[in-house]
Amino acid sequence: MDRELVLVLDFGGQYNQLIARRVRECNVYCEVHPCTLSLDKIREMHPKGIIFTGGPNSVYANDSPRCSAEMFNLGIPILGICYGSQLMAYMLGGSVKTAPVSEYGKTEVQTDKSSLLFEDVSEKTICWMSHTDYIEKAPADFRVTAHTPVCPVAAMENAERKLYAVQFHPEVMHTQEGMKMLSNFVYRVCGCRGDWKMDSFVETTIRQIRERVGNGKVLCALSGGVDSSVAAVLMSKAVGRQLTCVFVDHGLLRKNEGDEVEAVFGPQGQYDLNFVRVNAQQRFYGKLAGVTDPEQKRKIIGEEFIRVFEEEAKKIGAVDFLVQGTIYPDVIESGLGKSAVIKSHHNVGGLPDHVDFKEIIEPLRLLFKDEVRRAGLELGIPEYLVYRQPFPGPGLGVRIVGEVTAEKVRIVQDADAIYREELAKAGCDKGLGQYFAALTNMRSVGVMGDERTYDYAVALRAVITSDFMTAEAAEIPYAVLSRVMNRVINEVKGVNRVLYDLTSKPPGTIEFE
């Protein structure tokens, strides 16, 4: 197939797949490869453009990742981002040093609108900076196309050689016109047509799964959430009745969610699946007793999930493959590859060392949440399932700060149900990326019925995000929050205080643990 391709070469940045996702949003197919990808392989792939990612290293350090100098002579347009921009400058004769003033966060950048990269971009635009080194001086044959008061080379280019570089991160939502810049690179610089769509991903993935699985039996870890549901239907399209979906009710689900999942995917549901429900609430509570460390909780839940699946696989007999609904933010936050560990996801970094399956299949591993939803629609999954609230695999285990008990689960289930109900009544749930109630480990003094109480504080969370890599706290009307507070305190035993979390991501995460 004659498919346009843009390559992202990874130099260790957190946002490597986010860059690829932004390019795919431009309807151009994009893949991420290590920066060590050979020149011969690159030539063989015939990319229309190459993007260098950011990274944590200093380009002048001896052990810093590099590419071949011949890369710049391939005649393929290149865009360097952050570390990638510094690497381009350093390797082509410019000067890179420790910046006198580091920049981090939203920064006003002055652009040169005569650059193809900044066509239709404001002369002064807000960009996301994150660097301690900077390009002190651009290479001799480059011209500077953007700057800030403390960063003399915020962007540079050699238009004749189609080499472009930006010190900031156009791929993150905090860079207000970042998509325009990436679109300019893809279309104006690389000359792409933009003929790739999500249905291409679905068709290709189904074909690859059939080839990989053959006649093997497949066990899918179905939580009922968006990611695992899309993975299950994708696998069902690929291998049919070779697939068995195992739903583990670990006692850490939202209120009534176990029954709701069974109603959709069980024998009376709308999909022709082999469906098994395992009620393992007490098993998980027992394993989590006395555990307060969030990483330990995640790993316990992750290992116990796998052990339950192994047991169910033995009942089915000769299962070769385990399928999980892992998506890209899970992979990044779990610190696989070169990225720092933020938190282990039960289906990524939470896996035990030994797993009793031939292979693990993660068909959504390189997609972000909104891409997963688009894939779900392509698969014919109803909108009410595709757009349901995201829910983490470890469930309420990461929304209960400290030890998990059945009583705490009951508290957070009831509070969360009230919160979701009130947001829906007020129409505030539209446009939110995620919203939920969490239980803190803080207890405080209160007064109820003229008597002293000493009960827990519930924290409400609502964020706006498209990719779940960055997020902003949503502005929920005060009257709605007040109604939620009043209902929670009056209807949920054990709670006497309700808080609203205003933290963005970064520096926080969307979940509490």
Side-chain angles (χ1 to χ4, degrees), residues 157-230:
E157 67 180 47
N158 182 322
E160 184 178 352
R161 299 175 64 186
K162 296 187 177 181
L163 302 178
Y164 294 79
V166 293
Q167 178 59 70
F168 50 85
H169 288 272
E171 71 275 18
V172 302
M173 297 301 291
H174 299 308
T175 297
Q176 294 177 353
E177 298 177 271
M179 274 302 296
K180 286 183 184 178
M181 300 172 198
L182 290 173
S183 178
N184 284 340
F185 177 71
V186 167
Y187 286 104
R188 300 180 189 275
V189 177
C190 300
C192 291
R193 299 183 306 272
D195 53 9
W196 182 84
K197 298 287 190 295
M198 181 52 72
D199 56 359
S200 304
F201 167 82
V202 171
E203 292 170 8
T204 301
T205 303
I206 287 174
R207 185 179 68 252
Q208 290 173 342
I209 289 169
R210 284 176 181 155
E211 293 172 356
R212 183 175 176 183
V213 170
N215 296 320
K217 287 186 178 181
V218 183
L219 183 68
C220 179
L222 176 63
S223 70
V226 176
D227 306 330
S228 69
S229 296
V230 172

Side-chain angles (χ1 to χ4, degrees), residues 31-79:
E31 293 181 356
V32 178
H33 289 271
C35 61
T36 53
L37 189 68
S38 71
L39 294 178
D40 287 342
K41 184 63 176 177
I42 291 173
R43 292 188 185 99
E44 181 185 314
M45 298 172 80
H46 300 293
K48 299 282 286 186
I50 297 172
I51 299 177
F52 291 176
T53 74
N57 301 86
S58 294
V59 296
Y60 45 79
N62 292 332
D63 59 349
S64 63
R66 304 281 173 86
C67 65
S68 168
E70 186 61 26
M71 182 83 69
F72 302 104
N73 298 322
L74 293 176
I76 301 170
I78 298 175
L79 172 64

Side-chain angles (χ1 to χ4, degrees), residues 149-361:
V150 298
C151 184
V153 187
M156 65 178 191
E157 67 180 47
N158 182 322
E160 184 178 352
R161 299 175 64 186
K162 296 187 177 181
L163 302 178
Y164 294 79
V166 293
Q167 178 59 70
F168 50 85
H169 288 272
E171 71 275 18
V172 302
M173 297 301 291
H174 299 308
T175 297
Q176 294 177 353
E177 298 177 271
M179 274 302 296
K180 286 183 184 178
M181 300 172 198
L182 290 173
S183 178
N184 284 340
F185 177 71
V186 167
Y187 286 104
R188 300 180 189 275
V189 177
C190 300
C192 291
R193 299 183 306 272
D195 53 9
W196 182 84
K197 298 287 190 295
M198 181 52 72
D199 56 359
S200 304
F201 167 82
V202 171
E203 292 170 8
T204 301
T205 303
I206 287 174
R207 185 179 68 252
Q208 290 173 342
I209 289 169
R210 284 176 181 155
E211 293 172 356
R212 183 175 176 183
V213 170
N215 296 320
K217 287 186 178 181
V218 183
L219 183 68
C220 179
L222 176 63
S223 70
V226 176
D227 306 330
S228 69
S229 296
V230 172
V233 175
L234 188 65
M235 293 301 300
S236 179
K237 296 272 189 184
V239 300
R241 300 293 289 185
Q242 293 169 242
L243 173 69
T244 297
C245 291
V246 176
F247 168 57
V248 178
D249 186 345
H250 52 15
L252 302 171
L253 298 171
R254 289 169 287 204
K255 192 169 185 177
N256 302 324
E257 189 160 25
D259 293 338
E260 292 170 1
V261 170
E262 185 169 0
V264 173
F265 292 99
Q268 307 305 316
Q270 61 194 91
Y271 297 104
D272 185 23
L273 298 172
N274 297 311
F275 178 84
V276 177
R277 177 174 178 173
V278 182
N279 293 310
Q281 296 91 332
Q282 296 308 315
R283 175 173 177 168
F284 278 81
Y285 292 160
K287 290 285 184 179
L288 292 167
V291 179
T292 59
D293 179 74
E295 273 297 286
Q296 192 178 355
K297 285 196 290 185
R298 283 179 174 271
K299 290 185 181 297
I300 287 171
I301 294 168
E303 175 154 1
E304 206 59 23
F305 258 108
I306 293 295
R307 297 309 168 221
V308 173
F309 290 136
E310 287 177 339
E311 292 166 14
E312 292 304 314
K314 287 174 183 175
K315 295 176 186 176
I316 297 165
V319 173
D320 303 297
F321 301 91
L322 171 66
V323 175
Q324 299 189 131
T326 308
I327 65 174
Y328 189 68
D330 301 342
V331 177
I332 280 297
E333 290 184 337
S334 295
L336 301 192
K338 301 184 180 72
S339 303
V341 175
I342 299 169
K343 56 190 179 184
S344 292
H345 289 258
H346 82 284
N347 52 350
V348 189
L351 287 175
D353 293 334
H354 173 69
V355 181
D356 193 17
F357 295 97
K358 178 181 175 182
E359 286 186 54
I360 294 177
I361 298 176

Side-chain angles (χ1 to χ4, degrees), residues 442-457:
M442 181 183 83
R443 300 182 73 184
S444 61
V445 173
V447 179
M448 298 177 71
D450 295 326
E451 292 186 1
R452 178 186 185 273
T453 62
Y454 188 64
D455 286 326
Y456 286 105

Side-chain angles (χ1 to χ4, degrees), residues 6-8 15-33 51 53 81 171 182 196 328 366 368 371:
V6 169
L7 284 180
V8 172
Y15 300 133
N16 49 20
Q17 281 289 345
L18 182 54
I19 298 169
R21 168 263 172 85
R22 297 296 186 217
V23 174
R24 295 197 296 263
E25 282 183 351
C26 297
N27 295 326
V28 175
Y29 184 67
C30 189
E31 293 181 356
V32 178
H33 289 271
I51 299 177
T53 74
I81 294 176
E171 71 275 18
L182 290 173
W196 182 84
Y328 189 68
L366 299 183
F368 290 83
E371 292 183 308

